Amino acid sequence: MAWSKITNISVSFLKFALKYHFPIKKIVRNTLFKQFCGGETYWECGSTMDKLYEKGIFSIPDYSVEGKEDEASFEQTTKELVKGIELAAGLPMVSFSVFKMTGIARFALLEKIQRGEYLSSVETKEFERVKGRITRLCYEAQSHNVRLMVDAEETWIQTVVDEIIIDFMKRFNDKAPILFLTIQLYRKDGFERLKQMYADACSEGHFIGFKLVRGAYMEKEREHAKALNYPSPINDTKEQTDALYNEAVSFCLNEDIATCVATHNQLSIERAVREMDPKDQQISGFAQLYGMGDFLSYNLAHAGYKVSKYLPYGPLREVMPYLFRRAEENKSITGETTRELLFIEKELERRKAALNSK
Ligand SMILES: Cc1cc2nc3c(=O)[nH]c(=O)nc-3n(C[C@H](O)[C@H](O)[C@H](O)COP(=O)(O)OP(=O)(O)OC[C@H]3O[C@@H](n4cnc5c(N)ncnc54)[C@H](O)[C@@H]3O)c2cc1C
């Protein structure tokens, strides 16, 4: 993945092969899947979760089936999530459960609601079913005392996702932060939205929890804004995103908000570590994606911080969109893989030198 051209060719080949049902399972299983996923089922993630926990790292099993648009799939995903929450209740190594709204609701329906368009009676019923699914998840999470994160997605559905989840927070976060919203700080309005949500939660008298990320859909967001001729909601530079991210982390830690600092950015992590006092550590922690930033996760755990790995799982064919995103993210010369490879090479050299000097 450190070689951008090879990654591009491989990903294009895999997409083509997938479309025409070529037998590529074995290739994917031994490459991308092995690197970034815990298994095809929750149970298959068990040995990875154990291995991580031995080193003090918690897991966030993430049923990463994406791109489904039918009711049967949404029901199937909800069942899988409910099962995951029940299992998490008995597993000390699991720190959170997580779901994506588009895993249980049709993207176009959310888009339509966000645009403020009239819903037909069929769509109104469909939306009621979505809320029913969220109720089931929240109820399970609250009754098993398992914290539940909601991932953030594209801006043109995110407003409605946030509104729905905040409604549920009013009911389910009354005694503790069970539901966590994700805030993307690559958004120009990311920090302002966070502060507003926190202020509203304080005045409504319920808890709020945040997972803070930079954001994964930058190119898509910019293209969408350009195509529909509205100003891009994404910061113009990486530096602006970094500054907003760090500010948001400081704000949450200062205000004692339950926070998951979800990043592979070493500088942001070092800053958060300096600002996190023992009181914060009881409610807040760090998270990285499985297969990325291991040097950060292991060192954080070793230093006594609460750190988790997002551990994606699901049928191989259905987690492919997630795997393609990871390949994209890791391919550039400044990407995670290259950075991590350099660290591994440096460490191997150090050990070799140490052995030779004995
Ligand atoms: C545990 C975990 C959970 C996550 N959950 C979500 C989620 O729910 N939703 C989601 O969208 N993402 C999620 N992500 C992905 C995340 O948003 C980032 O894409 C990814 O972590 C890379 O950012 P970074 O902070 O780790 O590192 P960095 O490498 O420091 O930052 C890269 C990020 O900076 C931003 N950026 C890069 N270039 C520019 C530029 N020119 N202008 C403005 N901004 C720029 C982009 O967001 C890019 O992804 C998650 C990540 C983790 C670790």
Side-chain angles (χ1 to χ4, degrees):
M1 273 182 288
W3 291 311
S4 176
K5 275 189 189 145
I6 293 186
T7 309
N8 284 343
I9 295 168
S10 312
V11 168
S12 303
F13 165 74
L14 287 175
K15 282 183 181 166
F16 175 83
L18 198 69
K19 192 167 168 193
Y20 294 101
H21 299 276
F22 286 11
I24 50 158
K25 258 188 143 180
K26 208 168 168 190
I27 305 176
V28 179
R29 186 182 301 285
N30 290 312
T31 53
L32 285 175
F33 191 81
K34 198 170 163 192
Q35 175 70 20
F36 294 117
C37 289
E40 292 207 59
T41 62
Y42 201 102
W43 289 113
E44 269 183 44
C45 295
S47 62
T48 308
M49 290 200 239
D50 284 341
K51 249 191 256 167
L52 292 169
Y53 197 51
E54 266 171 34
K55 300 287 178 193
I57 299 171
F58 294 83
S59 291
I60 306 175
D62 175 18
Y63 186 61
S64 297
V65 170
E66 295 182 14
K68 298 278 174 185
E69 289 285 288
D70 59 289
E71 289 286 299
S73 301
F74 298 146
E75 279 303 314
Q76 168 56 30
T77 298
T78 310
K79 265 194 204 153
E80 184 65 39
L81 292 168
V82 166
K83 192 178 80 188
I85 295 170
E86 284 167 2
L87 289 171
L91 295 170
M93 67 282 273
V94 176
S95 53
F96 281 95
S97 285
V98 62
F99 75 99
K100 246 191 173 57
M101 191 65 90
T102 51
I104 59 168
R106 203 161 50 84
F107 194 101
L109 178 74
L110 297 170
E111 239 181 329
K112 198 166 177 184
I113 300 170
Q114 178 149 331
R115 283 198 302 262
E117 282 175 22
Y118 172 79
L119 294 188
S120 67
S121 65
V122 174
E123 286 167 334
T124 306
K125 281 190 189 135
E126 187 184 347
F127 188 40
E128 287 307 316
R129 285 196 295 277
V130 172
K131 288 194 270 190
R133 289 179 197 123
I134 306 172
T135 309
R136 260 145 76 197
L137 296 178
C138 291
Y139 179 77
E140 287 296 325
Q142 194 187 47
S143 56
H144 289 94
N145 199 21
V146 170
R147 295 187 299 170
L148 181 61
M149 279 175 175
V150 187
D151 277 347
E153 304 181 60
E154 291 86 345
T155 44
W156 52 101
I157 59 163
Q158 194 57 42
T159 309
V160 70
V161 170
D162 290 343
E163 283 169 4
I164 297 170
I165 297 303
I166 287 170
D167 254 0
F168 278 89
M169 279 183 170
K170 290 176 191 164
R171 278 170 64 193
F172 291 93
N173 278 10
D174 52 342
K175 295 189 186 69
I178 287 286
L179 265 176
F180 277 57
L181 260 179
T182 300
I183 305 287
Q184 297 156 313
L185 280 309
Y186 67 1
R187 287 182 61 160
K188 289 176 183 158
D189 62 354
F191 189 31
E192 287 310 312
R193 295 171 74 247
L194 180 156
K195 286 192 283 192
Q196 189 59 52
M197 285 177 195
Y198 175 57
D200 293 346
C202 290
S203 64
E204 296 268 351
H206 64 83
F207 286 90
I208 197 158
F210 290 122
K211 175 179 67 161
L212 303 181
V213 300
R214 279 180 169 76
Y217 307 92
M218 185 173 74
E219 296 304 332
K220 200 171 173 188
E221 287 284 352
R222 286 183 173 152
E223 279 162 21
H224 193 265
K226 202 169 162 194
L228 300 188
N229 202 21
Y230 63 88
S232 167
I234 307 300
N235 294 316
D236 298 327
T237 66
K238 170 79 162 63
E239 289 68 30
Q240 285 167 347
T241 298
D242 290 346
L244 272 189
Y245 189 86
N246 294 335
E247 253 184 275
V249 172
S250 301
F251 176 84
C252 289
L253 296 180
N254 274 332
E255 296 292 329
D256 297 332
I257 301 170
T259 308
C260 175
V261 182
T263 179
H264 309 111
N265 184 299
Q266 193 171 345
L267 292 178
S268 293
I269 290 175
E270 283 169 358
R271 227 184 110 119
V273 160
R274 283 196 299 275
E275 290 176 9
M276 212 179 249
D277 58 36
K279 185 166 47 82
D280 295 324
Q281 284 178 47
Q282 285 165 20
I283 54 166
S284 297
F286 296 89
Q288 284 83 44
L289 302 178
Y290 182 69
M292 290 171 70
D294 281 353
F295 63 102
L296 299 164
S297 317
Y298 282 80
N299 280 320
L300 281 167
H302 188 67
Y305 292 91
K306 182 149 191 180
V307 56
S308 310
K309 282 286 198 193
Y310 245 52
L311 192 58
Y313 73 96
L316 191 139
R317 203 163 246 288
E318 285 157 26
V319 298
M320 292 298 269
Y322 175 85
L323 294 176
F324 292 146
R325 268 211 309 284
R326 296 289 79 82
E328 279 293 318
E329 198 170 298
N330 281 283
K331 75 182 180 194
S332 71
I333 196 72
T334 52
E336 292 300 329
T337 317
T338 316
R339 188 150 40 127
E340 202 150 357
L341 261 179
L342 285 176
F343 281 123
I344 293 170
E345 278 167 10
K346 235 164 97 182
E347 177 61 12
L348 284 175
E349 271 169 32
R350 191 191 65 79
R351 291 186 190 185
K352 224 159 81 185
L355 271 179
N356 289 342
S357 68
K358 273 188 185 164

